[in-house]
Amino acid sequence: MTTIVGTCKNGQVILGADSQVTDGDRKHNSLNMEKITKNNGYLIAGSGDATPCDILQHIFIPPVPTIAERKNLYKFMITKFVPSMREVLDEAGYKPDPKEDSGFSMLIAFDGELFDIGDDFSVLLNDTGIYGVGNGSRYAIGALYAGATVEKALEIAAQNDIYTSGPFQIEKQSKKTKQVS
């Protein structure tokens, strides 16, 4: 399982993830299995079914918005990013098994903004600037609301959720102040 949390405030995104991967009754920890990847200007963090997360983090080349599209990144994510996501998942042959408890959740950062994208391809924003996905996220989100840092929130999740453990990966992204045409 996974715990990924993020904060978005004043054009600054901080994403954090644990390093535990659980497959049935097998537990794996390796920093080589990053849950947050840098890809074409994005931070892409994935939880849930490993197959779509691997495809979206390591095969997908996300579209880059034009200067005009950057004025409304939410609309861009719905009209350009998500269709590109769906296309690469289809091309890679990903088909969720309706008999399995499969699904995925992604936290995607671009230009200092953070988006929550579910396996139904909905794009969500949160005015609080606090986001979380994965099994231990409810503990980490509570800690963030109480004023904890992203790293401390992950530590609290690891203390309370058996599917969450360190070491932790922390990535930051800031809004670009100058945009080139």
Side-chain angles (χ1 to χ4, degrees):
M1 303 287 179
T2 294
T3 300
I4 300 172
V5 291
T7 60
C8 181
K9 185 175 181 180
N10 299 325
Q12 173 78 24
V13 172
I14 303 172
L15 281 173
D18 76 322
S19 61
Q20 182 174 322
V21 176
T22 308
D23 179 19
D25 60 357
R26 298 180 304 157
K27 173 183 164 185
H28 306 277
N29 284 79
S30 173
L31 290 177
N32 288 331
M33 295 187 295
E34 292 180 330
K35 294 181 183 178
I36 306 169
T37 57
K38 296 176 182 176
N39 186 340
N40 211 22
Y42 292 85
L43 292 177
I44 300 177
S47 76
D49 187 352
T51 300
C53 292
D54 288 345
I55 293 166
L56 293 171
Q57 291 180 295
H58 302 290
I59 297 172
F60 180 45
I61 300 172
V64 176
T66 64
I67 291 174
E69 290 170 330
R70 285 176 190 251
K71 293 177 182 169
N72 187 343
L73 283 177
Y74 177 67
K75 180 179 178 183
F76 170 82
M77 295 300 281
I78 293 167
T79 61
K80 300 283 177 71
F81 187 92
V82 166
S84 295
M85 250 178 82
R86 293 178 87 130
E87 185 176 325
V88 76
L89 289 170
D90 287 343
E91 287 173 1
Y94 172 69
K95 302 280 186 246
D97 185 345
K99 297 176 190 169
E100 296 288 322
D101 182 22
S102 61
F104 62 90
S105 296
M106 309 297 289
L107 293 181
I108 311 285
F110 186 81
D111 199 24
E113 293 190 40
L114 190 54
F115 304 90
D116 183 340
I117 300 178
D119 59 6
D120 64 351
F121 299 102
S122 58
V123 179
L124 303 173
L125 297 172
N126 189 337
D127 284 343
T128 67
I130 294 176
Y131 294 80
V133 295
N135 206 64
S137 65
R138 64 185 181 274
Y139 299 109
I141 289 170
L144 289 170
Y145 275 108
T149 65
V150 166
E151 186 168 11
K152 183 64 177 171
L154 289 168
E155 290 172 8
I156 291 167
Q159 291 172 346
N160 292 283
D161 178 63
I162 63 170
Y163 298 109
T164 302
S165 63
F168 304 118
Q169 178 187 5
I170 308 292
E171 299 289 344
K172 298 178 182 179
Q173 183 188 79
S174 297
K175 183 169 187 62
K176 290 182 173 56
T177 54
K178 184 179 178 183
Q179 296 183 6
V180 182
S181 56

